Amino acid sequence: MAAAATMLSIQGDWDQVLREAEGEVWVSCKIPGKPTIRGSLTSKGISSDEVPEVTASEEFVVQEVTKNRITVSCPGENISCTFLSPYASFSHIHGKNVSYLDISSGGDLGVSSSTDQTFKSVLEGHTRDVFSCKFFPSGQEVLSGGLDSLVKVWSVNDGSCLATMKGHRGSILDIAVVADGQNVISSGQDGTARLWDSAQGACIAVVDDSYSPINAIAVAEVGNAVNLGSPKETPSNREVGTEGKLVVLAREDKSLEGVSLHSRQSVFDFEGSDAFNCCTFISSVGVLAGGLDGNIIHVDIRNPKSAVETVSWSETPVLSLVPFRDTYVASYGNGTCYIPLKGSEQVLQLTGPNRQPVFQVAAWKKLVYTCCRDGFIRKYEIPDLG
């Protein structure tokens, strides 16, 4: 198990409070095995370019401040962190907490789902909570899955339901689009991962069937990096674009398994320290998976017996992992979001949620979007990471 890192934290609405005269926010430095160092930051006014002038209490130093970014250090522990506030926040899209969101490949459309049984742009048809939603590569269709055990395909243009896929015996926990979207994959509480013909709404194959819920899936082209095997039977002519692809299954039973999407053969099986909540590819051979215990593990599919790296920035569950530029974004159950700076032990921390879980992250170019239990969708403009 990874040792928890020393981490700085700041009050979620620091950017708003420090714009007030004598506004004060808390800041802390959590050190594993030691008492947490607590302090405060106080605004001493606003400069002519509308940037707060901030002083820190003993043990902390303010290194840099802009309108939406502040860098704070704790010299005694030799640590610093840059905190970034949202560029924009949207609070009236859903009536309840926002559970999932995605951005189209062109960056011009967004879709989000909620426990209010809807997802927006307004697409209504699920009878219970919607847990996940993803754009097809074209940006013209959306895939969704939820508590009603159904997987659905929707038209972005008119909001109509184009196909409904039935077969799971429990909630749909995650979904993925294969290649151009003629095939899609779903995973569920019933321990199965299923490959579907998205146009006909028919199940092509059960890719995996285990007793443990599959909380998340990720699919990518891996080519000849590993032996994906050959199908024992001739694949259906409805199966399109599965060759050379590996689907990673993040399970409740602490296992992370890679399965050849075309042959259905197991390629690797990695055992973690707790249930896995999320997973993503960060390269054709690199997989990240986030656990209930707050650990993020990096596995090389060519040598999966041991993790390349394990990091832990929080003891709360990792809820989502999304590739971003040459690094990634991780969100947690305590409302924190981290972007590790490549080649450094430093992280950029996205602020805004006040200890409310950030369920999902989506990224497009320099923009990162988050959705939270507090009902907000937040948009961040990420500076150059150097």
Side-chain angles (χ1 to χ4, degrees), residues 93-94 110-112 118-125 154-156 158-160:
I93 296 177
H94 291 280
V111 62
S112 57
T118 67
F119 59 107
K120 310 286 179 76
S121 41
V122 182
L123 307 170
E124 298 182 356
W154 307 83
S155 167
V156 170
D158 59 15
S160 62

Side-chain angles (χ1 to χ4, degrees), residues 62-112:
V62 176
Q63 296 182 325
E64 182 186 19
V65 186
T66 68
K67 291 182 181 179
N68 68 336
R69 189 167 74 245
I70 187 169
T71 301
V72 180
S73 66
C74 182
E77 297 299 325
N78 193 30
I79 184 175
S80 67
C81 185
T82 298
F83 301 93
L84 183 70
S85 64
Y87 173 79
S89 298
F90 311 95
S91 61
H92 303 296
I93 296 177
H94 291 280
K96 295 184 179 180
N97 60 284
V98 189
S99 57
Y100 209 98
L101 83 164
D102 193 25
I103 303 299
S104 66
S105 58
D108 53 341
L109 293 173
V111 62
S112 57

Side-chain angles (χ1 to χ4, degrees), residues 282-283 285-289 296-300 306-311:
I282 54 170
S283 70
V285 295
V287 173
L288 293 180
I296 297 174
I297 62 118
H298 176 193
V299 174
D300 187 323
S306 60
V308 175
E309 182 184 31
T310 301
V311 297

Side-chain angles (χ1 to χ4, degrees), residues 57-376:
S57 61
E58 188 178 358
E59 305 282 3
F60 295 95
V61 174
V62 176
Q63 296 182 325
E64 182 186 19
V65 186
T66 68
K67 291 182 181 179
N68 68 336
R69 189 167 74 245
I70 187 169
T71 301
V72 180
S73 66
C74 182
E77 297 299 325
N78 193 30
I79 184 175
S80 67
C81 185
T82 298
F83 301 93
L84 183 70
S85 64
Y87 173 79
S89 298
F90 311 95
S91 61
H92 303 296
I93 296 177
H94 291 280
K96 295 184 179 180
N97 60 284
V98 189
S99 57
Y100 209 98
L101 83 164
D102 193 25
I103 303 299
S104 66
S105 58
D108 53 341
L109 293 173
V111 62
S112 57
S113 61
S114 170
T115 55
D116 61 9
Q117 301 179 15
T118 67
F119 59 107
K120 310 286 179 76
S121 41
V122 182
L123 307 170
E124 298 182 356
H126 283 281
T127 59
R128 303 182 73 180
D129 295 352
V130 182
F131 289 156
S132 55
C133 54
K134 289 184 180 177
F135 278 100
F136 282 69
S138 66
Q140 299 304 305
E141 293 88 29
V142 169
L143 185 68
S144 68
L147 190 60
D148 58 8
S149 305
L150 302 178
V151 180
K152 288 178 175 285
V153 180
W154 307 83
S155 167
V156 170
N157 293 329
D158 59 15
S160 62
C161 181
L162 303 177
T164 298
M165 289 157 262
K166 302 178 181 179
H168 281 281
R169 301 179 301 277
S171 304
I172 309 300
L173 300 180
D174 203 6
I175 49 179
V177 177
V178 180
D180 63 359
Q182 293 184 62
N183 290 171
V184 298
I185 312 171
S186 60
S187 68
Q189 188 75 30
D190 60 4
T192 68
R194 296 171 181 265
L195 181 69
W196 305 87
D197 179 329
S198 62
Q200 297 186 19
C203 183
I204 298 172
V206 176
V207 177
D208 187 77
D209 190 354
S210 64
Y211 67 90
S212 179
I214 304 172
N215 293 326
I217 53 177
V219 62
E221 177 82 40
V222 298
N224 297 320
V226 292
N227 181 9
L228 296 176
S230 301
K232 294 180 179 179
E233 300 177 359
T234 303
S236 164
N237 57 13
R238 294 179 298 161
E239 187 171 325
V240 181
T242 60
E243 299 91 340
K245 292 188 173 60
L246 184 74
V247 58
V248 174
L249 314 172
R251 294 198 184 93
E252 188 71 20
D253 67 357
K254 307 180 185 180
S255 70
L256 184 75
E257 185 177 8
V259 176
S260 168
L261 191 55
H262 193 55
S263 72
R264 326 284 195 246
Q265 296 176 19
S266 179
V267 175
F268 73 85
D269 198 349
F270 178 92
E271 184 175 352
S273 53
D274 209 335
F276 285 111
N277 292 330
C278 51
C279 60
T280 188
F281 279 88
I282 54 170
S283 70
S284 61
V285 295
V287 173
L288 293 180
L292 188 65
D293 55 6
N295 285 343
I296 297 174
I297 62 118
H298 176 193
V299 174
D300 187 323
I301 64 173
R302 298 166 300 184
N303 184 24
K305 292 184 179 180
S306 60
V308 175
E309 182 184 31
T310 301
V311 297
S312 180
W313 293 308
S314 171
E315 295 176 351
T316 62
V318 187
L319 299 183
S320 71
L321 291 165
V322 174
F324 180 70
R325 300 183 192 171
D326 58 356
T327 180
Y328 60 92
V329 188
S331 74
Y332 286 82
N334 64 353
T336 54
C337 289
Y338 297 108
I339 303 178
L341 307 186
K342 193 170 183 180
S344 168
E345 294 183 0
Q346 300 295 313
V347 296
L348 176 67
Q349 188 174 152
L350 308 184
T351 62
N354 185 18
R355 302 185 183 276
Q356 296 286 313
V358 176
F359 293 121
Q360 184 64 33
V361 175
W364 183 79
K365 292 189 175 180
K366 289 189 174 185
L367 301 177
V368 168
Y369 299 81
T370 67
C371 64
C372 183
R373 190 169 68 183
D374 62 10
F376 279 80

Side-chain angles (χ1 to χ4, degrees), residues 8-20 23-29 39-42 70 72 83-86 334-336 349-355:
L8 290 173
S9 298
I10 197 170
Q11 187 170 314
D13 59 352
W14 67 267
D15 57 317
Q16 301 172 44
V17 175
L18 292 181
R19 290 185 175 278
E20 303 170 0
E24 183 177 284
V25 300
W26 62 261
V27 62
S28 67
C29 180
S40 62
L41 306 180
T42 304
I70 187 169
V72 180
F83 301 93
L84 183 70
S85 64
N334 64 353
T336 54
Q349 188 174 152
L350 308 184
T351 62
N354 185 18
R355 302 185 183 276

